[in-house]
Amino acid sequence: MEKAVKRIGVLTSGGDAPGMNAAVRAVTRTAISRGVECIGIRRGWNGLINGDFIQMDASSVSHIIHKGGTILYTARSEEFKTAPGREKALGTCKLLGLDGIVAVGGDGTFRGALALSRQAAEHGQSLQVVGIPATIDNDIGCSHYTIGFDTACNTAVECIDKLRDTMQSHERCSVVEVMGRHAGYLALYVGISVGATAVLIPERPVDFQRDIVEAIRKARLAGVTHFMIVVAEGAGSAVDIGKRIHDEIGIDPRVTVLGHIQRGGSPSSRDRETASRMGYHAVMSLVANKGNRVIATQEGRVVDIDMEEALAMTKPFQMDRYDVLEALSLH
Ligand code: F6P
């Protein structure tokens, strides 16, 4: 089959996620193995606007599969949201002879990619784009899984296990805020994994009396003397929850906001393996002349979906996991 692309760019955009490097490695090595040249665009879409790039070869991605962060750097670009910004980016594509872009990031990244390819088409410029979902939030509608989620869960669990030791010794209540933006996946998976007393997520309206006061009361009656409350950042502030616990229940909690520590660290096996398969699939899609795709996992399989359809997709929140959490907490 005739090669659809000759030279592609790969970039990482938005919040970094562990496993992005494994995806960049997979894209680079698959491209080279198929006779396609690969350019690394640095600092997300800003790099395409400013012509900030590096030539990639097979060895430029050696020894990065185990590294957190992204060797290409990342950014959230305001300029790229504008038509003149994308015009500059298209100029860079022309200059470099890029006919394909693989963008690793979240749905904001994919929206940018789609706008770019549409703008290219208006000028008769050939530019195929493919998105790879990578975010610790696991909040991409078309994909059951996003690169980085598993590592972030493991990092949060490790931190909370440490907190539990000191909470248990002092018979205290801990309120821990985890990331996730508007989604509660991270909080719920972590909450189940640490055996939390209660988990607050944005997908379930918070009722302080039911979710906190009752949960602590039941745990106390069951003989528990330390409590672990996990709060998704999208469900509220751990500081505010801690204050309410102090004022309304009369116990003196300790509040921890895990913050960006959840985005760092060496990617888990699951994230490396998923990123490798997605990166491979992204390039194979371009080589097969299939552009404007988002790579996704569905029932464990890696698939590609039309980008516009992918951006309109939503996934039902896994509320059955909340039932598991409740069933396993002490009553
Ligand atoms: O989307 C990833 C994420 O870490 C969210 O969980 C969080 O809300 C946000 O990014 C933080 O963004 P920033 O790195 O700009 O502080």
Side-chain angles (χ1 to χ4, degrees), residues 83 86-87 90 94 116-126:
R86 291 193 295 274
E87 209 53 44
L90 286 175
K94 248 194 191 151
L116 185 73
S117 96
R118 283 182 175 154
Q119 210 163 310
E122 282 165 19
H123 300 319
Q125 187 174 341
S126 165

Side-chain angles (χ1 to χ4, degrees), residues 76 135-137 179-181 233 260 263:
R76 293 189 170 100
T135 162
I136 65 161
D137 304 335
M179 279 187 167
R181 201 179 290 272
E233 64 174 337
H260 289 80
R263 289 230 302 254

Side-chain angles (χ1 to χ4, degrees), residues 147-164:
I147 296 165
F149 177 66
D150 184 58
T151 308
C153 283
N154 284 314
T155 301
V157 165
E158 197 185 328
C159 293
I160 294 173
D161 284 348
K162 287 181 175 152
L163 279 175
R164 180 207 283 273

Side-chain angles (χ1 to χ4, degrees), residues 12-74:
T12 51
S13 169
D16 62 352
M20 277 185 162
N21 279 328
V24 169
R25 173 181 179 271
V27 168
T28 305
R29 294 233 169 124
T30 308
I32 291 166
S33 76
R34 294 298 184 272
V36 175
E37 260 192 80
C38 188
I39 305 286
I41 311 292
R42 305 200 302 176
R43 302 180 173 85
W45 294 119
N46 283 340
L48 207 56
I49 292 172
N50 302 324
D52 183 0
F53 65 92
I54 44 167
Q55 179 73 42
M56 306 294 269
D57 59 34
S59 62
S60 56
V61 288
S62 294
H63 315 302
I64 66 166
I65 196 166
H66 62 295
K67 288 193 173 145
T70 159
I71 59 159
L72 292 177
Y73 305 100
T74 185

Side-chain angles (χ1 to χ4, degrees), residues 247-306:
D247 294 348
E248 295 180 34
I249 311 182
I251 51 183
D252 186 21
R254 291 294 181 270
V255 174
T256 309
V257 178
L258 290 182
H260 289 80
I261 198 156
Q262 295 158 101
R263 289 230 302 254
S266 180
S268 67
S269 165
R270 180 172 188 188
D271 283 327
R272 296 179 198 194
E273 194 263 352
T274 306
S276 300
R277 286 197 293 147
M278 285 185 165
Y280 169 84
H281 199 111
V283 176
M284 295 309 283
S285 175
L286 287 173
V287 168
N289 204 10
K290 276 206 281 179
N292 287 11
R293 315 295 292 173
V294 174
I295 309 302
T297 61
Q298 287 181 354
E299 315 301 346
R301 282 184 331 111
V302 175
V303 297
D304 56 89
I305 302 167
D306 172 77

